[in-house]
Amino acid sequence: RREGRVACVGGWTEFARATTIHRWVESNPRVIMMAGEQAAVVAYDYEIDFTMGGRRIQLRGRDLMTLEKRQGRWWLLADHFSSAP
C-alpha cells in the first residue's frame, strides 16, 4: 500500500526504471462521471508484456481509478489494479 504523492510517484518511477515494456494494451474502458462531473471512476482491462530483472513477464488484469476535478485539473485519488487469475 502506498499513500501520498511521493510514495505513489516513487513506486511507478521505480517500476519504469526496472522494466522494459514490450506491449501494453487497454480494452473494455468504462468511465462513470459523478458529483456533477467533478469526480469519475475509470475502469479498464489491461494486458502487459515486460522484462524485469532479466525475466519476461506477461500479465492480464483490471485497473480501477478514482479521480476528482480540482480547479480545472483531474487528480488521481486512488488506483487499484489486480491481475487476472
Side-chain angles (χ1 to χ4, degrees):
R1 177 176 171 162
R2 299 182 199 277
E3 291 188 28
R5 178 185 172 132
V6 172
C8 291
V9 171
W12 283 115
T13 299
E14 184 57 35
F15 176 80
R17 286 184 182 147
T19 63
T20 299
I21 298 174
H22 308 289
R23 183 171 176 263
W24 170 265
V25 176
E26 297 169 12
S27 60
N28 302 317
R30 174 100 192 249
V31 178
I32 301 170
M33 300 302 296
M34 301 161 54
E37 299 200 357
Q38 296 301 300
V41 175
V42 178
Y44 60 88
D45 297 323
Y46 66 85
E47 295 178 33
I48 186 170
D49 176 6
F50 62 97
T51 300
M52 177 185 268
R55 186 171 157 228
R56 188 84 177 241
I57 302 167
Q58 296 174 340
L59 299 172
R60 294 179 313 119
R62 184 108 174 124
D63 199 359
L64 178 69
M65 295 179 279
T66 303
L67 299 103
E68 180 182 36
K69 195 171 191 179
R70 297 180 190 166
Q71 299 176 351
R73 295 182 64 187
W74 286 99
W75 294 84
L76 182 63
L77 301 179
D79 183 15
H80 173 80
F81 62 92
S82 57
S83 297

